[in-house]
Amino acid sequence: MTLQTTKTHVVHGGTLRYLKHDSAVTGTPMTLSVFTPPGEGPFPVLIWLSGLTCTEDNFTTKAGAYRAAAEHGLVVAAPDTSPRGEGVADDPAYDLGQGAGFYVDATEQPWAPHFRMESYVADELIALIDAAFPTTGARAVSGHSMGGHGALTLALRHPDLFKSVSAFAPIGSPTRCPWGEKAFAAYLGPDRAAWAEHDAALLLASGAARGVYDDILIDQGDADSFLTDQLKPELLQAAADAAGQTITLRMQPGYDHSYFFMASFIADHIAFHAERLKT
């Protein structure tokens, strides 16, 4: 399986590539961007998972991550948020279907054949990046909103794959918010026990991070229009407190849900991961 480069840019002394490949996991073409810092490497890797309606391009063009990534010597890989294309199930709503993969492996029709984003990231994407780029084999994961949910749950479900995890405005408990309830019912069916396996707050409460992650960095804007109904960071804090797990939840005054928020604090997250990836 090969990665095909579709375009290349030099940025902050490193190289940004837009790539595509045929995925054996999703059964569709998949797209992503990969930034490699200046130098020969090898480098640790940060996997970035984006939110609802996004492609690989939103973070790549808007987050302003590459100056810090170049300074700290990190590869940054940002995949698309779902399978796409002819014959791939979809929904007219923005919060289900293409652009809304939720980083789970769907078990229900019509989603199950292609919507396997957990396996895509954990099994295929990581192996592709390590094979195609000069990496150390150490990696971190971060993301925003739906992708923040993905970052937290994949890190908690696959602690052997990641040395650190952070998130911006994550969906903290998908089993207890409209976005998550809608997506999980569609992708995973009616059994809420199956949903719980992909709920970051419930995973934290169960002790899934204990002894694995010394800290989890979460930034949340207090002017985020989705804060109360969809994101519910207080559930993450309560779960961490109950489990004796350290998290750093920073409520940022005046910030909303946009990429302006991420661009304001992405350097902190890059530094957070760099410190842990190089030890």
Side-chain angles (χ1 to χ4, degrees):
M1 191 179 304
T2 58
L3 287 168
Q4 178 184 348
T5 301
T6 58
K7 56 183 176 178
T8 302
H9 304 279
V10 174
V11 54
H12 295 298
T15 303
L16 174 66
R17 295 173 176 88
Y18 285 85
L19 304 149
K20 66 179 181 180
H21 69 101
D22 291 327
S23 170
V25 171
T26 68
T28 68
M30 292 295 292
T31 54
L32 64 149
S33 74
V34 176
F35 170 80
T36 51
E40 296 183 0
F43 308 106
V45 177
L46 173 62
I47 304 289
W48 173 271
L49 305 179
S50 289
L52 288 167
T53 75
C54 290
T55 69
E56 76 284 357
D57 199 41
N58 300 73
F59 172 82
T60 304
T61 58
K62 295 180 180 180
Y66 302 130
R67 180 186 297 276
E71 291 173 353
H72 288 284
L74 262 63
V75 169
V76 182
D80 198 355
T81 56
S82 78
R84 301 177 192 267
E86 186 176 352
V88 177
D90 201 7
D91 189 274
Y94 77 94
D95 53 358
L96 190 68
Q98 296 184 36
F102 268 83
Y103 305 101
V104 300
D105 288 352
T107 58
E108 304 299 301
Q109 298 299 326
W111 313 104
H114 303 296
F115 280 72
R116 304 186 64 231
M117 288 302 293
E118 178 175 14
S119 290
Y120 173 70
V121 174
D123 298 335
E124 189 171 40
L125 177 68
I126 286 171
L128 279 171
I129 292 167
D130 284 346
F133 297 96
T135 72
T136 63
R139 70 191 65 85
V141 63
S142 187
H144 169 239
S145 194
M146 177 187 72
H149 140 76
L152 293 172
T153 56
L154 292 187
L156 295 170
R157 287 170 56 80
H158 304 276
D160 55 314
L161 294 180
F162 305 105
K163 295 190 72 173
S164 57
V165 55
S166 72
F168 287 84
I171 302 172
S173 187
T175 64
R176 291 174 280 183
C177 77
W179 278 341
E181 290 177 334
K182 178 179 180 178
F184 284 7
Y187 297 148
L188 303 176
D191 182 5
R192 295 183 73 96
W195 301 9
E197 296 177 8
H198 302 276
D199 183 302
L202 297 179
L203 289 168
L204 276 174
S206 74
R210 192 181 301 119
V212 181
Y213 301 112
D214 68 317
D215 192 7
I216 297 172
L217 176 60
I218 300 170
D219 272 313
Q220 172 65 62
D222 72 0
D224 191 320
S225 61
F226 302 111
L227 177 61
T228 301
D229 293 338
Q230 301 283 12
L231 306 177
K232 303 183 179 183
E234 70 278 3
L235 297 179
L236 291 171
Q237 187 67 68
D241 291 345
Q245 170 64 39
T246 298
I247 69 170
T248 299
L249 174 59
R250 306 193 305 187
M251 297 300 298
Q252 302 290 3
Y255 285 89
D256 58 20
H257 201 68
S258 72
Y259 272 87
F260 297 112
F261 165 51
M262 281 170 276
S264 300
F265 300 103
I266 191 67
D268 291 352
H269 287 245
I270 296 287
F272 174 87
H273 294 298
E275 179 182 355
R276 288 156 178 81
L277 287 167
K278 294 179 180 179
T279 58

